[in-house]
């Protein structure tokens, strides 16, 4: 059921983002809705502000006036969120909420998926898809934050490093 949860964007009164997040988290806990409303996020970023020749790192909202919610949309969850103090409505045409696409969620970086690979640096792997499918190579580097793997292969008699998605290689 959790797989059917999607990210939605809720518009709030300016400056109420954290209050909405706190209120929703209390409501979710009090009503036992943890399985329907999974996450409430106010995306933040760190930025350097310069004032009077003094630089300081500040945390600010990426989308002022908006809160992101990962939930399973039902009449009950829609009603609860829509009637939370500070919420002015869901983003979407009329009163119909529109879920974010997988690409939008990935670009926002709010839903980080745990990446696990069954190979290590130095292991022989077979490339499973793409233009170099069925080539054999040696894992040179693994970056779990981006999900990329660098593999050394021999193409046309030369050693070449390919950067692949971690799903494009498997152990031999």
């Amino acid at each position: 059921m959790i797989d059917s949860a999607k990210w939605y964007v809720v518009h709030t009164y300016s400056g109420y983002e954290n209050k909405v997040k706190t209120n929703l988290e209390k409501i979710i806990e009090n009503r036992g809705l943890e399985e329907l409303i999974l996450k409430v996020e106010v995306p933040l970023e760190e930025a350097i502000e310069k004032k009077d020749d003094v630089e300081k790192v500040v945390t600010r909202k990426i989308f002022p006036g908006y809160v992101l919610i990962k939930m399973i949309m039902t009449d009950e969850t829609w009603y609860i969120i829509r009637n939370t103090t500070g919420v002015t409505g869901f983003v979407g045409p009329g009163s119909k909420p529109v879920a974010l696409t997988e690409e939008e969620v990935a670009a926002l970086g709010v839903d980080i998926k745990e990446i696990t690979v069954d190979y290590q640096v130095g292991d022989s792997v077979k490339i499973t898809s793409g233009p170099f499918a069925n080539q054999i190579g040696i894992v040179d580097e693994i970056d779990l934050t981006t999900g990329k793997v660098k593999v050394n292969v021999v193409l046309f008699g030369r050693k070449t490093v390919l950067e692949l998605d971690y799903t494009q290689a498997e152990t031999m």
Side-chain angles (χ1 to χ4, degrees):
M1 190 162 176
I2 289 174
D3 290 344
S4 62
K6 295 189 178 345
W7 284 95
Y8 293 89
V9 181
V10 174
H11 191 263
T12 68
Y13 292 121
S14 183
Y16 275 69
E17 302 89 355
N18 292 330
K19 185 85 172 134
V20 166
K21 179 180 191 264
T22 304
N23 287 345
L24 278 172
E25 287 170 343
K26 284 180 188 167
I27 291 167
I28 292 163
E29 187 179 337
N30 291 342
R31 295 193 184 192
L33 296 171
E34 293 88 353
E35 300 219 349
L36 292 175
I37 305 173
L38 308 174
K39 270 188 182 174
V40 180
E41 293 287 329
V42 177
L44 303 171
E45 68 180 349
E46 286 189 350
I48 297 171
E49 284 187 358
K50 195 172 184 180
K51 188 175 181 182
D52 300 328
D53 289 336
V54 177
E55 287 184 355
K56 86 176 183 184
V57 177
V58 295
T59 303
R60 62 181 175 207
K61 296 172 186 86
I62 297 173
F63 307 111
Y66 295 94
V67 175
L68 304 177
I69 302 171
K70 185 173 187 174
M71 62 187 269
I72 297 170
M73 184 62 71
T74 65
D75 289 344
E76 180 187 18
T77 56
W78 179 89
Y79 182 84
I80 287 167
I81 289 167
R82 184 64 189 84
N83 290 292
T84 299
T85 304
V87 172
T88 60
F90 281 92
V91 171
S95 63
K96 185 170 176 13
V98 175
L100 295 173
T101 64
E102 300 250 346
E103 293 79 20
E104 290 168 331
V105 172
L108 293 172
V110 291
D111 203 15
I112 295 148
K113 294 190 177 12
E114 188 81 16
I115 297 172
T116 55
V117 293
D118 59 352
Y119 45 82
Q120 306 171 33
V121 172
D123 285 357
S124 290
V125 293
K126 179 179 179 183
I127 299 172
T128 57
S129 65
F132 302 103
N134 299 319
Q135 291 284 335
I136 307 296
I138 307 287
V139 177
D140 188 44
E141 189 180 312
I142 301 171
D143 187 345
L144 293 177
T145 57
T146 61
K148 299 293 180 190
V149 178
K150 289 188 179 172
V151 178
N152 281 314
V153 295
V154 177
L155 296 173
F156 307 112
R158 290 187 174 177
K159 233 177 154 183
T160 306
V161 177
L162 301 176
E163 185 176 84
L164 307 168
D165 189 79
Y166 77 99
T167 60
Q168 290 180 280
E170 64 182 27
T171 55
M172 304 234 340

